[in-house]
Amino acid sequence: MYNATNSAEGQTQIINKEVDFGASDIFDPNSPVEQIPIAGIAIALLFNVEGVGSLILSRDVVRDIFVGNITQWSDPRITETNPGEVFPENDITIIYRTGGSGTNSVFSQSLIQFGASANLSSDPSNWEFASQGRGLTAEESSDIVSLVRNFPNTIGYVAHPYIDGQPTVQIINKKGRAIAPSKDSVISAISSPVFKGSIRSTYIDGDSVGAYPITTLTFLLYQGSEIFDCEFTLYLAEMIYWLLSDDTAVAAAVYQNYIPVPTYISSPSINKLTLIRCRGGYAYNTFETFEWIIMAMAIFMGFLC
């Protein structure tokens, strides 16, 4: 059974053993939950502006819209990067997630990277636009998409897999290129030298020419301490290995706009499976099937070297 909730609540449910595993777009270094990166995704900005077909924004304009320094769509800093568009003289209404959302955390980190105060809250209800009365709240990503679609002159943010056909903002990256969220722009971001090897990153602002500026990893979460259900332990390890190495799983992920992680990220994740413990020992000593999986991992890693 799938239970859609936010990252904070999901971690709590795993710790309390209310669910077996979950997923999040943030890495929490203080969490007792095990966190394995399994995919890369973009955080997309959705927009619905009357009379505007496409929208290009610089990183600092994205920051100033969401921290409340730019309040109208006709602001010159918006129009200068969109010379072919005519913007209405209307207030910008921001659609945002409530609660301990991983998307909120990633997006707030991106705004800090774009120059916002390092003390910026990860809860957008504390941002200036909210106190200005220019925000609408949403419980889930699908709600953000619905609100942006149905209310003109709005902008919001969701993980790219949830955009549901809604137009997205192109953001000008570090190299001065206007980049839309896509498979290629996420691959470019997570392959950037500035990020490579940082598998615990919450937020990636890649320095490659084609990198999308708001990219993150999706982490699979499970109990960090010993797991006593050995049968579940086996299934969990098999699932993680399948997600990271099977062509069918990779194709399904790409179809949903989740981007396969490169080898330098997937290899440590696969190796980590050998450390999962069950009933006082390592799980691969418990099941013959698991021993075969570990052997297959070794062969697989050998091909990658």
Side-chain angles (χ1 to χ4, degrees):
M1 181 181 68
Y2 173 71
N3 178 27
T5 185
N6 60 56
S7 295
E9 177 61 24
Q11 291 215 24
T12 299
Q13 290 179 6
I14 293 173
I15 292 169
N16 293 337
K17 300 183 180 180
E18 297 171 11
V19 297
D20 294 322
F21 61 90
S24 175
D25 298 331
I26 58 171
F27 181 89
D28 182 355
N30 300 314
S31 174
V33 170
E34 194 63 64
Q35 303 161 85
I36 289 185
I38 57 172
I41 62 167
I43 304 300
L45 300 185
L46 312 178
F47 71 95
N48 176 3
V49 184
E50 291 176 308
V52 175
S54 65
L55 183 59
I56 298 172
L57 299 175
S58 65
R59 295 155 84 250
D60 61 328
V61 168
V62 170
R63 174 200 69 210
D64 284 347
I65 286 174
F66 283 89
V67 300
N69 294 335
I70 294 178
T71 63
Q72 287 203 319
W73 284 112
S74 57
D75 189 286
R77 294 173 63 195
I78 295 177
T79 60
E80 70 180 0
T81 54
N82 298 275
E85 303 288 349
V86 178
F87 288 84
E89 294 185 3
N90 291 89
D91 285 346
I92 300 170
T93 299
I94 294 174
I95 315 296
Y96 64 97
R97 286 281 298 275
T98 56
S101 159
T103 308
N104 279 349
S105 180
V106 173
F107 191 63
S108 63
Q109 287 298 313
S110 75
L111 297 182
I112 292 171
Q113 186 72 19
F114 296 170
S117 168
N119 296 320
L120 184 70
S121 170
S122 61
D123 182 353
S125 63
N126 296 321
W127 299 355
E128 185 64 24
F129 75 82
S131 66
Q132 295 168 348
R134 295 186 300 103
L136 293 174
T137 61
E139 291 293 327
E140 299 178 4
S141 297
S142 58
D143 298 327
I144 287 184
V145 177
S146 178
L147 287 169
V148 171
R149 180 171 290 143
N150 290 300
F151 286 85
N153 304 316
T154 54
I155 188 169
Y157 55 92
V158 295
H160 191 223
Y162 294 97
I163 64 171
D164 193 27
Q166 190 65 24
T168 59
V169 176
Q170 298 177 63
I171 302 176
I172 299 174
N173 67 10
K174 290 178 178 178
K175 299 295 186 181
R177 294 272 302 275
I179 303 294
S182 69
K183 172 186 174 182
D184 290 341
S185 63
V186 171
I187 290 174
S188 182
I190 63 179
S191 300
S192 298
V194 72
F195 172 74
K196 192 169 183 179
S198 181
I199 64 171
R200 295 186 171 190
S201 287
T202 291
Y203 161 70
I204 310 160
D205 183 14
D207 55 3
S208 298
V209 172
Y212 181 70
I214 311 178
T215 301
T216 187
L217 297 177
T218 290
F219 295 85
L220 189 141
L221 315 177
Y222 60 90
Q223 278 284 348
S225 57
E226 182 172 313
I227 302 171
F228 292 96
D229 185 339
C230 291
E231 184 176 7
F232 165 71
T233 303
L234 172 62
Y235 291 148
L236 175 68
E238 286 181 328
M239 182 188 71
I240 295 172
Y241 180 68
W242 178 78
L243 286 170
L244 291 171
S245 62
D246 185 88
D247 289 343
T248 302
V250 169
V254 172
Y255 181 76
Q256 297 292 334
N257 288 318
Y258 287 94
I259 310 306
V261 292
T263 303
Y264 73 85
I265 295 176
S266 63
S267 297
S269 297
I270 290 175
N271 289 336
K272 212 168 192 180
L273 299 182
T274 64
L275 302 179
I276 298 177
R277 296 179 65 86
C278 171
R279 295 181 184 172
Y282 291 110
Y284 64 84
N285 287 329
T286 307
F287 290 101
E288 181 180 348
T289 307
F290 202 106
E291 291 174 348
W292 179 86
I293 292 172
I294 299 300
M295 185 182 301
M297 285 185 219
I299 295 172
F300 176 72
M301 297 305 300
F303 282 126
L304 294 177
C305 294

